[in-house]
Coordinates of all heavy atoms in Angstrom, one line a residue:
E219 N 48.0 -21.7 105.4 CA 48.5 -20.5 106.1 C 48.4 -19.2 105.3 O 48.7 -18.1 105.8 CB 49.9 -20.7 106.7 CG 51.0 -20.5 105.7 CD 51.2 -21.8 104.8 OE1 50.3 -22.6 104.6 OE2 52.3 -21.9 104.2
Q278 N 51.5 -27.6 113.6 CA 52.5 -26.7 114.1 C 51.9 -25.4 114.7 O 52.7 -24.4 115.1 CB 53.5 -26.3 112.9 CG 54.4 -27.4 112.5 CD 55.4 -27.7 113.7 OE1 55.6 -27.0 114.6 NE2 55.8 -28.9 113.6
I279 N 50.7 -25.2 114.5 CA 50.0 -23.9 115.0 C 50.3 -23.7 116.5 O 50.7 -22.6 116.9 CB 48.6 -23.9 114.8 CG1 48.3 -23.6 113.3 CG2 47.9 -22.8 115.5 CD1 46.9 -23.9 112.8
A280 N 50.4 -24.7 117.3 CA 50.8 -24.6 118.7 C 52.3 -25.1 118.9 O 52.6 -25.2 120.0 CB 49.9 -25.2 119.5
G281 N 53.1 -25.4 117.8 CA 54.3 -25.9 117.9 C 55.3 -24.9 117.9 O 55.2 -23.8 117.8
P282 N 56.6 -25.5 118.1 CA 57.7 -24.5 118.2 C 58.2 -23.8 116.9 O 58.9 -22.8 116.8 CB 58.9 -25.5 118.6 CG 58.5 -26.9 118.1 CD 57.1 -26.9 118.2
L283 N 57.7 -24.4 115.6 CA 57.9 -23.8 114.4 C 56.9 -22.8 114.0 O 56.8 -22.5 112.7 CB 58.2 -24.9 113.3 CG 59.4 -25.7 113.7 CD1 59.5 -26.9 112.7 CD2 60.8 -25.0 113.8
R284 N 55.9 -22.5 114.8 CA 54.7 -21.7 114.4 C 55.1 -20.6 113.6 O 54.4 -20.2 112.7 CB 54.1 -21.4 115.8 CG 52.9 -20.4 115.5 CD 52.5 -19.8 117.0 NE 51.5 -18.7 116.7 CZ 50.3 -18.8 116.7 NH1 49.7 -20.0 116.9 NH2 49.5 -17.7 116.4
E285 N 56.1 -19.8 114.1 CA 56.4 -18.5 113.3 C 56.8 -18.7 111.9 O 56.6 -17.8 111.0 CB 57.6 -18.0 114.0 CG 57.3 -16.8 114.9 CD 58.6 -16.3 115.4 OE1 59.4 -15.5 114.7 OE2 59.0 -16.4 116.5
A286 N 57.3 -20.0 111.5 CA 57.6 -20.2 110.1 C 56.3 -20.0 109.1 O 56.5 -20.0 108.1 CB 58.2 -21.5 109.9
L287 N 55.2 -20.3 109.8 CA 53.9 -20.2 109.0 C 53.6 -18.8 108.5 O 52.7 -18.6 107.7 CB 52.7 -20.6 109.8 CG 52.7 -22.2 110.1 CD1 51.7 -22.6 111.2 CD2 52.5 -22.9 108.9
Y288 N 54.3 -17.9 109.1 CA 54.1 -16.3 108.7 C 54.7 -16.1 107.5 O 54.5 -15.0 106.7 CB 54.6 -15.4 109.7 CG 54.3 -15.4 111.1 CD1 55.0 -14.9 112.1 CD2 53.1 -16.1 111.6 CE1 54.6 -14.8 113.5 CE2 52.8 -16.1 112.9 CZ 53.5 -15.5 113.8 OH 53.1 -15.7 115.1
C289 N 55.5 -17.0 106.9 CA 56.5 -16.7 105.8 C 55.6 -16.4 104.5 O 54.6 -17.2 104.1 CB 57.3 -17.9 105.6 SG 58.4 -17.7 104.0
L290 N 56.1 -15.4 103.8 CA 55.4 -15.0 102.5 C 56.2 -15.5 101.3 O 55.7 -15.3 100.2 CB 55.5 -13.4 102.3 CG 55.0 -12.5 103.5 CD1 55.2 -11.1 103.3 CD2 53.5 -12.7 103.7
R291 N 57.2 -16.2 101.5 CA 58.1 -16.8 100.3 C 58.6 -15.7 99.5 O 58.7 -15.7 98.2 CB 57.3 -17.8 99.5 CG 56.5 -18.8 100.2 CD 57.3 -19.9 100.8 NE 56.5 -21.0 101.2 CZ 55.9 -21.2 102.4 NH1 56.1 -20.2 103.3 NH2 55.2 -22.2 102.7
I318 N 65.0 -20.2 105.9 CA 63.6 -20.5 106.2 C 63.1 -21.9 105.7 O 62.3 -22.6 106.2 CB 62.5 -19.4 105.7 CG1 61.1 -19.6 106.2 CG2 62.6 -19.4 104.1 CD1 60.9 -19.5 107.7
L321 N 63.5 -24.6 108.1 CA 62.4 -24.8 109.1 C 61.1 -25.3 108.5 O 60.5 -26.1 109.0 CB 62.1 -23.3 109.7 CG 63.3 -22.7 110.4 CD1 63.0 -21.3 110.9 CD2 63.6 -23.5 111.8
L322 N 60.8 -24.9 107.2 CA 59.6 -25.4 106.6 C 59.7 -26.9 106.3 O 58.8 -27.6 106.4 CB 59.4 -24.5 105.3 CG 59.0 -23.1 105.4 CD1 59.1 -22.4 104.1 CD2 57.6 -22.9 106.0
M325 N 59.1 -28.7 109.4 CA 57.6 -28.6 109.6 C 56.9 -29.6 108.8 O 56.0 -30.4 109.3 CB 57.1 -27.3 109.4 CG 55.7 -27.1 109.6 SD 55.1 -25.4 109.2 CE 55.8 -24.4 110.4
K346 N 66.9 -12.8 109.9 CA 65.9 -12.3 110.8 C 65.9 -10.6 110.4 O 64.6 -10.1 110.4 CB 66.4 -12.4 112.1 CG 65.3 -11.9 113.2 CD 65.9 -12.1 114.6 CE 65.1 -11.4 115.6 NZ 65.7 -11.2 116.9
C349 N 63.9 -10.1 107.1 CA 62.6 -10.7 106.9 C 61.5 -9.6 107.2 O 61.4 -9.0 108.3 CB 62.4 -11.7 107.9 SG 60.7 -12.5 107.9
V351 N 58.4 -10.0 107.8 CA 57.5 -10.3 108.9 C 58.2 -10.7 110.2 O 57.5 -11.3 111.1 CB 56.4 -11.3 108.5 CG1 55.3 -10.8 107.5 CG2 57.2 -12.5 107.7
R352 N 59.5 -10.3 110.3 CA 60.4 -10.6 111.4 C 60.3 -12.0 112.1 O 60.1 -12.0 113.2 CB 60.0 -9.5 112.5 CG 60.2 -8.1 112.1 CD 61.7 -7.9 112.2 NE 62.1 -6.5 111.8 CZ 62.4 -6.2 110.5 NH1 62.5 -7.1 109.6 NH2 62.6 -4.9 110.1
I353 N 60.4 -13.0 111.3 CA 60.4 -14.3 111.7 C 61.9 -14.6 112.3 O 62.9 -14.2 111.6 CB 60.2 -15.3 110.6 CG1 58.9 -15.1 109.9 CG2 60.3 -16.8 111.0 CD1 58.5 -16.0 108.7
D354 N 61.8 -15.0 113.6 CA 63.1 -15.2 114.3 C 63.8 -16.5 113.9 O 63.7 -17.5 114.7 CB 62.8 -15.2 115.8 CG 64.2 -15.0 116.5 OD1 65.3 -15.2 116.0 OD2 64.2 -14.6 117.7
I355 N 64.3 -16.6 112.6 CA 64.8 -17.8 112.1 C 66.1 -18.3 112.9 O 66.1 -19.6 113.3 CB 65.3 -17.6 110.6 CG1 64.0 -17.2 109.9 CG2 65.8 -18.9 110.0 CD1 64.4 -17.0 108.3
P356 N 67.0 -17.6 113.3 CA 68.2 -18.1 114.1 C 67.7 -18.8 115.4 O 68.2 -19.8 115.8 CB 69.0 -16.8 114.3 CG 68.7 -15.9 113.3 CD 67.3 -16.1 113.0
R357 N 66.9 -18.1 116.0 CA 66.4 -18.7 117.4 C 65.8 -20.2 117.0 O 66.0 -21.1 117.8 CB 65.3 -17.8 118.1 CG 64.7 -18.5 119.3 CD 63.7 -17.6 119.9 NE 62.4 -17.4 119.1 CZ 61.5 -18.2 118.8 NH1 61.6 -19.5 119.2 NH2 60.6 -17.8 117.9
M358 N 64.9 -20.2 116.0 CA 64.2 -21.6 115.8 C 65.2 -22.6 115.3 O 65.1 -23.7 115.6 CB 63.1 -21.3 114.8 CG 61.8 -20.6 115.5 SD 60.4 -20.7 114.5 CE 60.8 -19.6 113.2
E361 N 66.9 -24.0 118.4 CA 65.8 -24.7 119.2 C 65.8 -26.2 118.4 O 65.7 -27.2 119.0 CB 64.5 -24.1 119.2 CG 64.5 -23.0 120.3 CD 63.2 -22.2 120.3 OE1 62.4 -22.5 119.6 OE2 63.2 -21.2 121.0

Side-chain angles (χ1 to χ4, degrees):
E219 81 279 21
Q278 286 298 337
I279 287 173
L283 300 172
R284 172 196 167 94
E285 260 184 70
L287 290 168
Y288 304 162
C289 178
L290 308 174
R291 313 286 193 273
I318 187 67
L321 300 172
L322 292 170
M325 180 188 286
K346 180 185 168 190
C349 177
V351 284
R352 294 284 176 267
I353 299 174
D354 194 346
I355 300 173
R357 176 187 55 77
M358 286 194 286
E361 286 171 6

